[in-house]
Amino acid sequence: MRTHTPVVFTKISLADVSGYGEASMPPYLGETHESATAFLEKVIRVLSRFSSINDIEQILEKIDEIEAGNNAAKASVDIALHDLLGKFKNAPLHKLWNINANKTSFTTYTIGISNENEIQQKIIDATDYKILKVKLGSEDDKKMINVIRALTDKPIIVDVNQGWKDKYFADEMIAWLSEKNTLLVEQPLPINMIDETAWLTERSNLPIIADESCKRLVDIEKTNGAFSGINIKLMKSTGLNEARKMIERANELKMKICIGCMSETSCGVSAASQLAPLADWADLDGPLLIKNDFFTGIKFVNGKIVLSHLPGIGTEPITNVFK
Ligand code: MG
């Protein structure tokens, strides 16, 4: 089933310079157009108390304090403010943060839970991409992998989306996948099975990465020991500011890092791509999987992420989405 992901774009202007941001809200995380719009109304009041983009840290702190949750709406403001910051300093964000733009990796290309014909088409669509991301968690998991393996030997990462409910079954699947050129397994078990996940990670010879179990900085401590690493997405972390802190903490804990995205346009993904050189893996194919990209920005050359050299997050609206 194809689900629709609501998005809200933000534009924050200061002295004729505008920064752009995006909130992408997959329905399972509970945010909607209505909740985001209501939250952004409150943000406007906070922003009116500041006059310099150099106060970005304090501004974001105040916005986070408005109310709990609203992570994607908060991310849209964080992204727009960082875009504005870079534009005021006339430098791409990665440059302001001393991140080496040449160190980006290959993005994965997603194959959702699909039948044989759909998989064949997806493999063709993914011709330029070096790593496949395969969504598992259905009764046909082994069948899907076998179909893929009959067509290509490209490395895969596997995202189970909490879909396996039994640790012994998960253990057996991971052992099987480890012989199929698999690089990592994301969120094999439900969030509440943290002890079982720790048991699994201990025995697994593949890295086990937390997605739904790790949204914000505070969640890293809970996942440490139970997972080998975390998948950081701006829509979960409330944006770039906290994502950077998560990378720092994960490094201290020697946890692996994946930079991911939701179903996002080139606006949100160009923001996330600024951090891609700091990650072990990048799962930033959002703009490749949507038909209505409203922004320019991130590019992929033979599957490798190429950061925009424009100031800020390096994005510009293609059409006037803010009419
Ligand atoms: Mg995931």
Side-chain angles (χ1 to χ4, degrees):
M1 192 180 72
R2 203 172 286 274
T3 50
H4 173 68
T5 302
V7 292
V8 169
F9 299 112
T10 55
K11 175 180 174 181
I12 301 176
S13 301
L14 184 63
D16 289 341
V17 181
S18 295
Y20 300 104
E22 171 176 9
S24 171
M25 301 168 285
Y28 71 92
L29 289 175
E31 284 178 82
T32 60
H33 270 137
E34 290 70 30
S35 70
T37 312
F39 185 80
L40 292 171
E41 289 290 336
K42 294 173 193 167
V43 169
I44 291 171
R45 291 202 286 276
V46 172
L47 290 177
S48 68
R49 305 210 298 266
F50 292 88
S51 56
S52 170
I53 190 63
N54 292 327
D55 296 332
I56 188 164
E57 276 271 346
Q58 295 98 293
I59 300 172
L60 291 171
E61 215 172 284
K62 289 284 171 230
I63 289 168
D64 197 28
E65 285 167 10
I66 293 175
E67 60 191 46
N70 298 287
N71 294 15
K74 287 174 183 175
S76 76
V77 180
D78 165 288
I79 293 168
L81 288 175
H82 280 98
D83 193 28
L84 206 52
L85 177 73
K87 285 172 175 165
F88 266 94
K89 308 262 181 208
N90 198 25
L93 203 58
H94 57 82
K95 207 166 176 193
L96 284 183
W97 287 345
N98 289 320
I99 296 170
N100 184 348
N102 298 322
K103 283 199 169 167
T104 56
S105 49
F106 294 101
T107 184
T108 60
Y109 190 97
T110 302
I111 299 182
I113 293 175
S114 315
N115 64 35
E116 206 166 331
N117 290 339
E118 291 165 338
I119 292 172
Q120 278 171 359
Q121 185 54 49
K122 279 278 188 180
I123 299 277
I124 295 168
D125 297 343
T127 301
D128 287 347
Y129 298 88
K130 312 293 180 210
I131 307 172
L132 302 174
K133 174 171 189 167
V134 186
K135 301 252 187 190
L136 295 186
S138 81
E139 283 162 14
D140 293 328
D141 285 353
K142 281 194 178 175
K143 199 173 146 199
M144 257 190 79
I145 298 293
N146 285 332
V147 170
I148 291 167
R149 278 291 164 255
L151 297 165
T152 174
D153 57 4
K154 284 181 183 174
I156 58 173
I157 72 171
V158 162
D159 186 0
V160 189
N161 286 308
Q162 314 182 65
W164 297 334
K165 309 297 179 196
D166 176 86
K167 69 175 183 180
Y168 299 104
F169 175 77
D171 184 40
E172 204 186 294
M173 279 302 292
I174 291 168
W176 184 78
L177 285 165
S178 70
E179 313 221 306
K180 309 273 176 205
N181 199 12
T182 305
L183 303 177
L184 65 88
V185 176
E186 187 174 300
Q187 199 74 43
L189 296 169
I191 298 175
N192 59 9
M193 291 178 71
I194 192 87
D195 293 340
E196 291 85 347
T197 305
W199 175 90
L200 200 59
T201 299
E202 175 87 44
R203 310 163 57 89
S204 169
N205 50 9
L206 293 178
I208 308 294
I209 305 299
D211 184 7
E212 290 86 344
S213 289
C214 185
K215 295 189 175 79
R216 299 193 59 171
L217 181 62
V218 64
D219 300 319
I220 297 189
E221 309 306 322
K222 286 181 264 172
T223 53
N224 182 30
F227 290 86
S228 334
I230 56 170
N231 186 344
I232 300 172
K233 297 177 182 168
L234 300 187
M235 299 301 142
K236 296 187 297 178
S237 74
T238 71
L240 289 156
N241 187 47
E242 191 153 322
R244 267 178 96 201
K245 292 177 182 161
M246 292 175 78
I247 290 172
E248 232 170 76
R249 187 66 187 133
N251 281 332
E252 283 166 10
L253 296 168
K254 303 207 166 14
M255 294 180 84
K256 298 272 188 194
I257 297 163
C258 176
I259 292 282
C261 63
M262 304 294 182
S263 180
E264 290 170 34
T265 71
S266 287
C267 180
V269 173
S270 295
S273 72
Q274 304 294 315
L275 301 173
L278 306 178
D280 297 287
W281 304 283
D283 176 21
L284 294 178
D285 61 350
L288 304 172
L289 306 178
I290 57 168
K291 291 199 175 73
N292 47 355
D293 195 352
F294 294 109
F295 288 84
T296 59
I298 186 172
K299 292 211 165 34
F300 304 98
V301 176
N302 294 323
K304 195 168 190 274
I305 295 165
V306 179
L307 299 187
S308 164
H309 290 292
L310 290 174
I313 61 166
T315 193
E316 285 298 334
I318 296 170
T319 54
N320 190 1
V321 282
F322 297 97
K323 264 195 296 229

